[in-house]
Amino acid sequence: MTAENKHDHDLAPTIFVLFGATGDLAKRMVLPAFYRLSLEGLLPRQWLLVGNGRGDVAHEDFRQHVHDVLTEFGPKPEPAQWKPFAERLWFAGGGFTTDSPGSLLDDLAKARTALRGEPQLVHYLAIPPVAFEETTSALGQHGLVKDARVVYEKPFGTSPEKFRALDKVVHSVLDEQQVYRIDHFLGKEATQDLHTLRFANGLFDAMWNRRHVESVQIDVPEKLGITDRSVFYDATGAVLDMLVTHLFQVAAEVAMEPPASLGALDLQAAREKVISSFRTLDPSEVVLGQFTGYHDVPGVAAKSSMDTYVAARLWIDTPRWRDVPFYLRTGKRLAQSRQRVSLILRDPPGPLAGKLPAESNVLSFSLAGDGDIDLSLLTKKPGPGLDLDRGTAALPLSGLVGANPLPPYVRLIHDVLTGDRSLFTRPDGLAAVWNSVGPLLENRPEVAPYAPGSWGPAEARELIAPGRWLVGQ
């Protein structure tokens, strides 16, 4: 079955407007996800994708660009699937501002005619955060917000003040139910499996609290650098790019109280409520780093002090988690790329109390790929003596019968098309995030150098002592 005759018949006709259509984010994430949706039959029967950018690009040239993108990043376009998909790709050039809509209005008028009616508009802002306010205002100025849905990439603001200013502009143009603030870590299969593991299994629900959990690690080291994103990254850094977005959101997924249901409103409410209990980050409990050679990357300012690494101790002031440290770590050009959440369990009382090695019992989740769940525990080594050894039980989620995991961007864009906001952030939660990180932005620790291919500054090992980072060290 080809992409031409496989569709989600329950979805309304849709025009998907991709701002920044020739940029890095669209290239690496959005366009491959959209093509995968087509292959999976998860797009409406009637749809068009209209790319937007400053240049004047012919439809055919844009289609060739998308073909090149998919050839590099996948899914690789095969002729039978590519041709019907490509016919639905258009490009509207000339930029898009409050002063000038470029050719977008004309192309949307033609698109509406082609789809015969008033199709749903989905605007995806795959553009730098600095352009969010102007583009949002332009959508309102040019009459493109009625019943539309608007997707904002992270970070949603770059400081508490800029968050409030952006939020004010967004709500002057859009109702909250029209807004989809994307954080692709919430779209990961394994992030969602946190809910199921905890709420569907009494064994884990019973130990999900300060009585049984000694500490939590959320660890996302990355081997890759910033070459393709240097200008964006030098204006953002690890704190804004990863800590206040992905890592804080995953911490909320771990720490939330059981929601009334897993529906969108209840799930969002539980997530945002626990974020409001995040204690303000103490700069003395944060380590910032920058890999050696950062200043040699084209696009980076010669004397930039931007962080490419952050490790932080986060405290969550709820009865369930009070006094349990959450250790968050991420960075560029590190020794390995991993995405792992680990709950380190306390030693149980009894005859072996005080005799067990550190980190004996660990429940961990890989957030990478299709995800897997690992349980590390101590057991008696077979033999005549009472010799203890660590064993691991692993459950690869992709091995479940009938499993068909979707990459995060595929899942989240499909949720936008269906109107499901459960895996998207809300302004009250983001306001709490910015309140938590505000003092760190105002009083940044000195950025420590670290060697590419290492595990970052030595200060991060001191931060977690007497424990240790479970990934890599």
Side-chain angles (χ1 to χ4, degrees):
M1 185 177 290
T2 70
E4 175 65 13
N5 55 21
K6 212 171 49 161
H7 304 283
D8 189 329
H9 293 268
D10 294 330
L11 295 177
T14 300
I15 300 173
F16 191 90
V17 184
L18 179 56
F19 294 94
T22 57
D24 185 70
L25 177 66
K27 176 175 67 175
R28 292 179 177 273
M29 298 295 186
V30 184
L31 290 170
F34 208 82
Y35 187 57
R36 174 72 179 270
L37 285 169
S38 177
L39 297 179
E40 295 286 346
L42 296 175
L43 292 177
R45 174 178 289 277
Q46 297 186 69
W47 65 269
L48 287 170
L49 186 151
V50 180
N52 176 260
R54 290 191 294 269
D56 291 318
V57 180
H59 297 329
E60 283 300 324
D61 292 335
F62 180 57
R63 290 164 186 161
Q64 184 59 51
H65 168 76
V66 176
H67 189 278
D68 294 343
V69 164
L70 298 177
T71 301
E72 182 178 0
F73 295 103
K76 186 176 180 179
E78 301 294 340
Q81 288 82 25
W82 168 249
K83 183 177 179 181
F85 179 85
E87 291 172 349
R88 299 170 185 251
L89 303 177
W90 296 11
F91 192 87
F96 184 73
T97 66
T98 50
D99 294 331
S100 172
S103 65
L104 183 59
L105 297 185
D106 292 338
D107 282 297
L108 288 180
K110 296 173 184 176
R112 290 188 178 97
T113 300
L115 296 186
R116 298 174 187 161
E118 289 296 325
Q120 168 88 42
L121 282 177
V122 174
H123 304 293
Y124 196 114
L125 275 59
I127 54 180
V130 68
F132 286 172
E133 287 189 36
E134 172 62 16
T135 302
T136 301
S137 297
L139 290 174
Q141 175 73 22
H142 299 299
L144 297 179
V145 297
K146 185 178 185 297
D147 299 325
R149 295 168 184 165
V150 184
V151 183
Y152 292 87
E153 270 290 338
K154 55 86 181 173
F156 193 81
T158 55
S159 69
E161 297 74 23
K162 291 181 180 178
F163 160 74
R164 288 190 290 269
L166 173 58
D167 191 56
K168 183 176 181 179
V169 170
V170 167
H171 286 110
S172 72
V173 175
L174 301 162
D175 294 331
E176 174 60 23
Q177 295 302 309
Q178 295 178 273
V179 181
Y180 293 75
R181 302 171 194 83
I182 201 166
D183 187 313
H184 76 267
F185 268 55
L186 294 182
K188 288 177 173 290
E189 290 283 351
T191 305
Q192 299 164 55
D193 284 321
L194 286 168
H195 306 151
T196 306
L197 181 84
R198 177 180 169 190
F199 302 134
N201 296 279
L203 170 67
F204 298 112
D205 179 66
M207 50 74 66
W208 214 270
N209 55 60
R210 65 193 298 269
R211 179 183 174 189
H212 298 286
V213 179
E214 182 272 328
S215 62
V216 178
Q217 293 184 23
I218 301 172
D219 205 0
V220 187
E222 298 180 278
K223 290 182 68 174
L224 63 116
I226 57 142
T227 303
D228 293 338
R229 311 168 64 218
S230 59
V231 175
F232 165 82
Y233 201 88
D234 199 42
T236 307
V239 170
L240 297 184
D241 187 43
M242 292 290 293
L243 181 69
V244 302
T245 53
H246 303 324
L247 303 192
F248 270 26
Q249 292 298 327
V250 174
E253 293 292 303
V254 174
M256 71 168 65
E257 291 300 305
S261 74
L262 295 184
L265 293 179
D266 290 332
L267 192 57
Q268 281 189 322
R271 186 187 303 123
E272 312 311 332
K273 183 177 181 180
V274 75
I275 290 176
S276 69
S277 298
F278 284 11
R279 193 183 302 175
T280 300
L281 284 179
D282 183 344
S284 69
E285 296 184 306
V286 177
V287 175
L288 300 182
Q290 183 186 97
F291 64 79
T292 305
Y294 176 73
H295 296 132
D296 298 329
V297 178
V300 170
K303 297 183 179 180
S304 174
S305 61
M306 185 55 68
D307 48 276
T308 64
Y309 175 101
V310 59
R313 184 190 294 127
L314 172 69
W315 302 96
I316 301 177
D317 288 328
T318 65
R320 182 182 297 273
W321 296 110
R322 188 167 290 116
D323 299 326
V324 175
F326 281 60
Y327 292 102
L328 317 179
R329 179 177 71 163
T330 188
K332 300 292 187 182
R333 299 291 305 276
L334 296 177
Q336 295 179 19
S337 292
R338 302 285 292 277
Q339 298 177 4
R340 186 158 290 275
V341 177
S342 301
L343 281 71
I344 295 90
L345 305 183
R346 298 185 188 277
D347 291 345
L352 296 178
K355 301 177 182 178
L356 303 178
E359 295 104 18
S360 299
N361 301 150
V362 180
L363 175 65
S364 65
F365 307 81
S366 171
L367 302 183
D370 301 332
D372 59 63
I373 300 170
D374 293 304
L375 179 62
S376 172
L377 65 162
L378 285 178
T379 184
K380 177 186 176 296
K381 186 183 297 184
L386 183 59
D387 297 323
L388 302 181
D389 200 0
R390 184 181 285 109
T392 301
L395 175 63
L397 301 177
S398 59
L400 300 179
V401 176
N404 182 30
L406 295 176
Y409 270 87
V410 178
R411 167 64 188 269
L412 293 173
I413 293 174
H414 185 256
D415 285 353
V416 174
L417 293 171
T418 62
D420 184 348
R421 299 178 70 246
S422 59
L423 298 178
F424 296 83
T425 58
R426 284 192 340 196
D428 50 344
L430 290 174
V433 164
W434 286 114
N435 287 337
S436 178
V437 81
L440 173 64
L441 299 179
E442 295 172 0
N443 185 25
R444 286 164 46 91
E446 185 176 348
V447 177
Y450 64 93
S454 71
W455 282 105
E459 291 87 343
R461 293 190 289 276
E462 299 168 8
L463 176 71
I464 202 170
R468 65 183 179 91
W469 295 101
L470 297 184
V471 175
Q473 298 181 46

